[in-house]
Amino acid sequence: MLFSSKNSDDSTIVELLASSLRRDIAFGTLLPDQKLKINELRTRYGGSNHSMRETLRILSTEGLVEATAQRGFRVTSATEDDVRDILMVRFEVEKVALSRSIALGDVAWEGRVMAAHHALQKAEAQAATNPDDLVALEWDEACRAFSYSLIAACDSPRLIDLHRKFFDQSRRFRLAQMREGRLDWDARKARQQGLLTAVLDRNEAAALTLLKRDVEAELRH
């Protein structure tokens, strides 16, 4: 049991539980279409019936968990069509957000993009040579941080929230590629450098082309 519900604020417990389930869904510890039974989850992760149900409700709104007809829950499926649909919607959201960021972003935003890119390159170099679980999590967070930095100046909280949702839904496919040695690190580095350059040059057309290639790379199996 990872967490005890005693003497803990329920919202904090739910946040911790959600983080743990997201991680285990991303790493395939909880498999696509696997039924999620409250009592079994409580034995494994802790929390109360209420906190676990609230956790599953949150993950359901994020698209990582689905409610079943029998009022239960299961991990969302992960078919080829699912991957394509997630990444298609993710690109459409990021395309609009990135276009707005390029138009609206200031020098401070450019600095944050550069810093996130630098951190990502360090994480990618480590993941390419030592892909253990801790490194994988740090790499995934660096991917998220760079992706977020690109759209952070879009001036739309709703676009940013949609970005987070669909980036998280694509997380398990991205991590599977990394852990199975199916990522082309050199190609990723070239795309990321090109994307950074296009963004700093305010070259919207080039930036969107490279963004599309980067998102589509996660479709490959």
Side-chain angles (χ1 to χ4, degrees):
M1 182 180 292
L2 296 179
F3 309 114
S4 170
S5 59
K6 295 180 180 179
N7 303 317
S8 298
D9 180 77
D10 192 55
S11 63
T12 302
I13 289 293
V14 170
E15 183 179 340
L16 291 170
L17 290 169
S19 178
S20 294
L21 266 70
R22 286 191 198 99
R23 179 198 63 212
D24 286 354
I25 290 171
F27 276 109
T29 305
L30 296 174
L31 297 171
D33 298 312
Q34 180 176 334
K35 291 183 179 180
L36 300 172
K37 298 179 180 179
I38 299 294
N39 288 338
E40 292 179 1
L41 292 174
R42 286 187 60 203
T43 298
R44 182 171 185 169
Y45 297 99
S48 64
N49 280 343
H50 170 74
S51 61
M52 186 56 72
R53 286 190 178 278
E54 179 63 14
T55 297
L56 293 174
R57 185 194 67 78
I58 290 171
L59 296 182
S60 180
T61 65
E62 295 175 0
L64 300 176
V65 165
E66 295 177 348
T68 67
Q70 294 77 27
R71 300 177 63 83
F73 295 90
R74 65 171 185 166
V75 178
T76 300
S77 62
T79 66
E80 181 78 16
D81 287 342
D82 291 324
V83 180
R84 292 186 180 280
D85 190 46
I86 289 168
L87 296 180
M88 181 271 290
V89 178
R90 181 184 143 192
F91 171 67
E92 292 301 320
V93 169
E94 291 187 26
K95 177 174 69 174
V96 175
L98 180 57
S99 294
R100 289 179 57 84
S101 282
I102 290 173
L104 300 173
D106 57 13
V107 173
W109 167 69
E110 292 181 358
R112 291 191 291 272
V113 172
M114 292 172 67
H117 176 265
H118 177 69
L120 177 58
Q121 293 310 300
K122 293 182 68 174
E124 296 244 323
Q126 188 171 10
T129 57
N130 180 33
D132 63 26
D133 284 356
L134 178 59
V135 169
L137 284 173
E138 292 173 346
W139 169 76
D140 187 63
E141 285 305 313
C143 291
R144 178 203 299 274
F146 179 59
S147 183
Y148 169 75
S149 75
L150 293 170
I151 63 132
C154 71
D155 194 31
S156 172
R158 290 172 178 82
L159 277 175
I160 289 172
D161 184 63
L162 286 170
H163 166 269
R164 178 194 57 78
K165 177 178 179 178
F166 290 105
F167 194 89
D168 280 352
Q169 287 186 27
S170 65
R171 186 184 186 198
R172 53 181 165 171
F173 307 111
R174 183 169 52 256
L175 281 167
Q177 282 192 327
M178 190 274 275
R179 297 177 77 202
E180 294 168 11
R182 294 186 284 115
L183 290 178
D184 185 335
W185 298 105
D186 290 337
R188 285 177 59 83
K189 183 175 182 178
R191 284 196 305 271
Q192 291 158 5
Q193 182 59 55
L195 184 52
L196 175 66
T197 300
V199 166
L200 295 179
D201 289 344
R202 306 297 173 125
N203 186 337
E204 180 181 351
L208 293 181
T209 296
L210 287 162
L211 176 67
K212 189 172 191 291
R213 289 177 186 168
D214 206 42
V215 173
E216 286 179 342
E218 294 181 15
L219 283 169
R220 295 170 188 158
H221 293 280

